[in-house]
Amino acid sequence: MVRYHVHDDRATVFRPLSLASPHMLAFHLAWLNLFSCFFSTFSIPPLLPVIRHHLHLTPTDIGNAGIASFVGSIFSRLLMGPTCDLVGPRIASGTLSLLTAPVILATAFVSTPQSFITIRFLVGFSLANFVSNQFWMTSMFAPSIVGLANGLAAGWANAGSGVTQLVMPLVYSLIINFNVPSSMAWRLAFVVPAIFQAITGILVLAFGQDLPSGKYVRTKTQKTEGENVFKIVLEGLSNYRGWVLGLVYGFSFGVELTTDNNIAQYFYDRFNLNIEVAGSIAASFGVANLFSRPMGGVISDGLGRRFGMRGRLWGLWVVQTVAGLLCILLGRLNSLWSSILVMCAFSVFVQAAGGVIFGVVPFVSKRSLGVISGMTGSGGTIGAVVTQTLLFSGAHLSKQTSISLMGIMMVLCTVPVSFLYFPQWGGMFCGPSSDPDSPEDNYHLLDSG
Amino acid sequence: MAARGHVVASLLILCFLAGPCYGKRLFSSLKQTLDVTASPTQGQVLEAGEAKITVTWGLNRTLPAGTDSAYKKIKVKLCYAPISQKDRGWRKTEDDLSRDKTCQHDVVSRPYDASNTSTQSFEWTVQKDVPTATYFVRAYALDANGDEVAYGQTTDAAKTKNLFQIKGMSGRHASLDICSAVFSAFSVVSLFVFFYIEKRKGRVSQSKIEMTGQ
């Protein structure tokens, strides 16, 4: 029997259209809340062609602000894990949403590049709700469907980063229609994400429930395990697979985040589109998350059933390498329609790669699952910071070249997948070792049940 | 054979999408035949939404008559000076006029009468959404097809003289600030209200347990 949090009554079936309390209601509240956080964090990039005029921004400022938005989320994600352990996911996520809603509204106050960077840093904190979202789903759904629940919750929430790129320019245009000058219109537009986020925060607090059995309490078992927390963390950190997966996730989810930050401006500048059209193209990148990320998880599970761990690893390598190749191609194209097509294909593959990676993560270590998930998840945002810093800050590289270079980095950083080896199940090139019952680690995590 | 067909097809599509391959208007092919002056002096700072600029344009008198026979319309625009273009690719000057982003703000568009040899002028109130930057004024002469054939500008070829600054509107308004502050307060207060309600519910159920326990 798998022991996550000692509690049971977790759901064993997944009914997406039901709002039944507590499991499905929790699912819908969780993904909607995280959706609003992604919506807020990425509400700024599609309006950059307007904001950069009025705040007198240089490409360096814009790049630094992009980096700041990810750095904010790195720290907050690391803090969110222990916070969920202490107070439960419902209070943690609801509180974070309500506290960061004023921050996105504060974008209306910004008048210098420095305050712009600060605001993006603070808004990025809301992305920590990813951790509470996954924690909550794991508490509510049994291991047989937790992958699906986690993948859908993450994927549907991630689509917020796409929807916002479509909605924000439309809100801006709507406000402009009322003869509001553009310098005020973009400030007013941030009322929309702020209100949305506050509403979802309130809904989570009012209707959510931490566990199938009720409110979250730290159980005695967890408290005695507290003495071993240090050991668990050390065990996770010393597991090389966690680092490899962190690197690989950094170049799938990280690349996805960086692309979210830059793609609207890229299409606006390169192809002379107006702000709404550039936004809708950028939106189609993020919205693909609705199906591509869960699809990645499903593919991983399917390959795992037929070919075991070797299938999962090969699947990961293939999907992410194809994504990298498409990224290289995207930077080389000169026409609008071929760029859009390649970008759509790229979005499906890079997001599916994220789903496939989290199909491997649960198998790395049982006791240190939280640490490994945290390492992988943080690796994602760190990868975003790296690509944003190296490639999209400052004017020395053209955006096309940066995109292609990002694709090359993706392909190179997917090679370490071949280094992953599980004694029980093998790796990409080697079969399982002859001694599957090595006592060192409890690798055996997710049973078929 | 199929590959070659592919290449031809994609080249055609590229050509089609990149704009007509013939008739690409280049700035370097335009003649500077117009004399354009604007009221702001060198280094003057104007406020967007309030200040007025008077622009005067006309054909250069030293040119032979008939130079302007093709001109049908004059389009006057506000253009970024090099210092405001520095490091900002979205304001870059390019020779291909369809991709040139130097002049992004329209001042006025007037039909051109070649028989009228006097200069024309227009008083323009600087629009509210003009951002903070350094500018000059340029006028394009368009022919019957709407293509640029000539131009004139208030500055020299190196764009160093007669540049003026415009201070853009900040866009901040007291009403917006107040609404934001009120909303933020609501957001934080509702959080504490929620915690208070939770605590009270906990106390009530606790006292209920104590009562039934007796």
Side-chain angles (χ1 to χ4, degrees):
Chain A
M1 269 290 278
V2 177
R3 281 174 45 235
Y4 267 94
H5 303 286
V6 181
H7 313 278
D8 251 296
D9 296 331
R10 283 176 286 176
T12 49
V13 277
F14 190 84
R15 284 198 207 229
L17 294 178
S18 140
L19 274 178
S21 178
H23 309 94
M24 290 316 302
L25 185 61
F27 168 77
H28 287 293
L29 289 173
W31 81 257
L32 202 62
N33 190 26
L34 185 61
F35 180 96
S36 75
C37 296
F38 271 102
F39 190 95
S40 301
T41 309
F42 292 102
S43 59
I44 299 177
L47 292 182
L48 269 175
V50 174
I51 299 178
R52 68 190 179 191
H53 272 311
H54 295 288
L55 294 184
H56 215 50
L57 300 174
T58 61
T60 319
D61 292 327
I62 296 176
N64 287 341
I67 296 167
S69 68
F70 299 144
V71 169
S73 83
I74 292 177
F75 291 132
S76 57
R77 282 181 176 202
L78 290 172
L79 289 175
M80 185 52 110
T83 311
C84 281
D85 271 329
L86 277 174
V87 297
R90 172 177 144 261
I91 291 186
S93 58
T95 308
L96 184 64
S97 286
L98 276 175
L99 288 180
T100 44
V103 176
I104 185 68
L105 193 59
T107 314
F109 293 142
V110 164
S111 33
T112 63
Q114 288 74 31
S115 47
F116 180 69
I117 294 174
T118 311
I119 281 288
R120 289 215 71 188
F121 172 73
L122 292 173
V123 171
F125 273 57
S126 61
L127 289 184
N129 264 334
F130 172 76
V131 175
S132 59
N133 173 300
Q134 303 282 281
F135 188 105
W136 201 358
M137 294 298 95
T138 311
S139 316
M140 279 288 187
F141 291 91
S144 56
I145 53 166
V146 75
L148 183 65
N150 270 338
L152 282 172
W156 288 6
N158 229 345
S161 63
V163 170
T164 187
Q165 312 239 19
L166 177 69
V167 167
M168 291 304 285
L170 290 176
V171 169
Y172 168 77
S173 307
L174 183 68
I175 298 176
I176 290 271
N177 270 337
F178 288 103
N179 278 327
V180 178
S182 79
S183 51
M184 204 190 295
W186 69 261
R187 294 174 190 277
L188 207 49
F190 289 104
V191 166
V192 172
I195 292 183
F196 183 32
Q197 198 171 317
I199 289 178
T200 58
I202 291 175
L203 285 176
V204 161
L205 289 173
F207 297 112
Q209 193 175 313
D210 288 307
L211 299 166
S213 50
K215 221 174 124 191
Y216 185 82
V217 272
R218 291 204 78 189
T219 63
K220 287 209 192 77
T221 341
Q222 280 175 309
K223 283 189 188 138
T224 51
E225 270 178 20
E227 284 109 60
N228 291 328
V229 157
F230 185 66
K231 206 168 152 206
I232 290 174
V233 167
L234 209 58
E235 211 176 278
L237 288 176
S238 57
N239 193 332
Y240 76 96
R241 298 173 193 82
W243 293 97
V244 169
L245 286 173
L247 173 71
V248 176
Y249 196 54
F251 281 92
S252 73
F253 186 60
V255 163
E256 186 194 329
L257 288 179
T258 303
T259 312
D260 278 327
N261 251 352
N262 293 289
I263 196 81
Q265 263 195 106
Y266 174 71
F267 276 97
Y268 181 89
D269 288 331
R270 184 120 194 265
F271 299 104
N272 281 332
L273 306 169
N274 70 14
I275 200 174
E276 292 92 352
V277 175
S280 26
I281 296 174
S284 50
F285 179 82
V287 164
N289 259 307
L290 284 173
F291 59 88
S292 42
R293 187 161 171 138
M295 195 174 78
V298 167
I299 289 177
S300 180
D301 284 340
L303 286 172
R305 268 195 294 275
R306 273 205 75 183
F307 300 109
M309 180 54 70
R310 181 183 282 192
R312 287 184 192 264
L313 293 176
W314 271 101
L316 170 56
W317 184 82
V318 165
V319 170
Q320 194 154 323
T321 305
V322 170
L325 293 172
L326 286 168
C327 189
I328 298 174
L329 183 60
L330 180 61
R332 302 278 97 220
L333 291 171
N334 284 320
S335 85
L336 177 62
W337 277 106
S338 48
S339 289
I340 294 176
L341 282 170
V342 170
M343 185 204 73
C344 288
F346 168 55
S347 72
V348 170
F349 277 91
V350 77
Q351 290 155 9
V356 173
I357 290 173
F358 271 91
V360 175
V361 163
F363 292 89
V364 173
S365 167
K366 175 187 173 184
R367 289 219 310 273
S368 314
L369 172 66
V371 178
I372 299 290
S373 303
M375 283 164 76
T376 311
S378 295
T381 24
I382 293 177
V385 169
V386 166
T387 43
Q388 178 82 31
T389 315
L390 286 179
L391 301 173
F392 291 97
S393 304
H396 51 277
L397 274 178
S398 74
K399 286 255 165 66
Q400 303 93 280
T401 319
S402 299
I403 291 178
S404 294
L405 282 177
M406 191 161 70
I408 294 177
M409 284 170 84
M410 276 177 81
V411 173
L412 288 176
C413 291
T414 312
V415 168
V417 172
S418 53
F419 302 156
L420 287 175
Y421 181 73
F422 297 83
Q424 260 189 317
W425 303 297
M428 267 171 86
F429 301 109
C430 315
S433 75
S434 49
D435 179 23
D437 289 304
S438 48
E440 317 158 338
D441 291 277
N442 294 330
Y443 283 119
H444 197 47
L445 177 68
L446 292 175
D447 307 329
S448 53
Chain B
M1 277 308 286
R4 212 192 293 170
H6 253 294
V7 170
V8 172
S10 40
L11 273 177
L12 275 175
I13 293 173
L14 271 174
C15 221
F16 178 63
L17 287 171
C21 294
Y22 56 90
K24 224 179 0 179
R25 310 300 308 162
L26 295 177
F27 184 71
S28 46
S29 64
L30 299 182
K31 298 190 193 38
Q32 189 169 7
T33 58
L34 300 172
D35 273 339
V36 184
T37 53
S39 53
T41 53
Q42 163 78 11
Q44 188 178 353
V45 179
L46 303 160
E47 300 268 340
E50 290 168 7
K52 294 195 203 301
I53 297 180
T54 311
V55 185
T56 318
W57 65 89
L59 187 68
N60 190 332
R61 294 304 157 81
T62 61
L63 294 170
T67 320
D68 56 353
S69 50
Y71 304 173
K72 290 288 175 280
K73 202 156 97 162
I74 297 283
K75 224 173 11 176
V76 183
K77 288 182 156 184
L78 194 63
C79 309
Y80 292 107
I83 191 170
S84 289
Q85 289 178 302
K86 194 169 133 199
D87 226 9
R88 291 177 173 85
W90 51 87
R91 292 178 184 167
K92 206 162 127 194
T93 299
E94 290 208 35
D95 205 23
D96 179 359
L97 282 170
S98 64
R99 297 182 68 94
D100 181 37
K101 297 202 174 91
T102 324
C103 304
Q104 294 188 21
H105 303 278
D106 291 326
V107 173
V108 70
S109 224
R110 283 276 176 82
Y112 184 80
D113 189 3
S115 55
N116 186 352
T117 49
S118 63
T119 54
Q120 289 187 292
S121 71
F122 180 75
E123 193 188 45
W124 183 60
T125 311
V126 181
Q127 276 176 316
K128 284 188 198 170
D129 61 0
V130 174
T132 305
T134 312
Y135 296 90
F136 64 94
V137 178
R138 181 183 286 170
Y140 287 108
L142 309 174
D143 65 5
N145 291 330
D147 294 327
E148 296 87 350
V149 286
Y151 76 100
Q153 57 192 27
T154 57
T155 183
D156 57 344
K159 297 185 232 169
T160 49
K161 297 199 178 56
N162 277 338
L163 304 172
F164 56 94
Q165 286 165 26
I166 295 182
K167 212 166 83 144
M169 280 178 66
S170 79
R172 288 186 54 182
H173 197 260
S175 58
L176 189 56
D177 290 352
I178 292 173
C179 284
S180 305
V182 165
F183 172 80
S184 308
F186 161 74
S187 191
V188 176
V189 162
S190 64
L191 183 65
F192 286 109
V193 164
F194 164 77
F195 281 137
Y196 175 71
I197 293 178
E198 279 273 304
K199 220 171 182 170
R200 255 202 11 197
K201 257 202 276 181
R203 248 185 267 146
V204 166
S205 58
Q206 188 76 350
S207 58
K208 274 202 197 139
I209 291 171
E210 284 166 8
M211 277 167 59
T212 52
Q214 281 172 344

